[in-house]
Amino acid sequence: MNVFFTNAREAKVELKNYCTGHIDVIVRKVDDSSPECRFTGFYGAPRGENRHRSWRFTRTIHAIEHTAWLCVVDFNKTLYGYEHSSRSAWLEWHMWAFSEVVEECSFQDLGWSGVPFT
């Protein structure tokens, strides 16, 4: 399954949904010779009391049928206590809720390079 493109003129992008904080599109070759690929760019709720909305949104998008899905996200949350850097306390139950979403959606943490806590 080749869903990669050598130049932008080969790609057809269909906007499915967007608002402040996310964009969701379907990408396929202009000639429809490739399967569609869903791309979601997402910025999670910065305030802890609103993160449940981020988890619900992520589960909703994941539940939409897709052949391939690339989700680029800043969840504003960490999976592990040692990744947390803030004046506010690290709440373990927040980590569990986030961990459930990561597992349900089969996300893979690609890590980062550069300055920690960016």
Side-chain angles (χ1 to χ4, degrees):
M1 169 183 353
N2 181 5
V3 294
F4 296 102
F5 308 96
T6 56
N7 67 61
R9 285 176 272 190
E10 293 182 20
K12 177 169 52 175
V13 178
E14 177 186 350
L15 179 63
K16 295 308 245 178
N17 194 322
Y18 74 97
C19 73
T20 303
H22 87 271
I23 186 166
D24 188 45
V25 299
I26 299 294
V27 181
R28 66 176 62 89
K29 287 191 174 184
V30 171
D31 64 4
D32 291 325
S33 66
S34 68
E36 64 182 36
C37 177
R38 179 174 292 276
F39 170 84
T40 306
F42 177 62
Y43 183 74
R47 298 182 55 91
E49 63 268 18
N50 297 325
R51 291 215 178 96
H52 67 282
R53 294 180 183 137
S54 296
W55 311 153
R56 185 174 55 235
F57 170 78
T58 304
R59 286 181 171 109
T60 299
I61 293 293
H62 178 258
I64 297 170
E65 187 176 334
H66 54 273
T67 304
W69 183 35
L70 174 62
C71 189
V72 178
V73 181
D74 178 350
F75 277 114
N76 274 311
K77 191 67 195 151
T78 60
L79 283 173
Y80 309 104
Y82 66 84
E83 296 176 327
H84 181 79
S85 175
S86 175
R87 291 181 187 160
S88 61
W90 180 74
L91 302 173
E92 196 166 336
W93 70 271
H94 278 198
M95 184 267 314
W96 291 334
F98 179 41
S99 180
E100 285 177 359
V101 171
V102 168
E103 186 174 322
E104 284 176 36
C105 296
S106 300
F107 285 148
Q108 296 178 18
D109 184 351
L110 299 179
W112 76 89
S113 64
V115 180
F117 310 113
T118 58

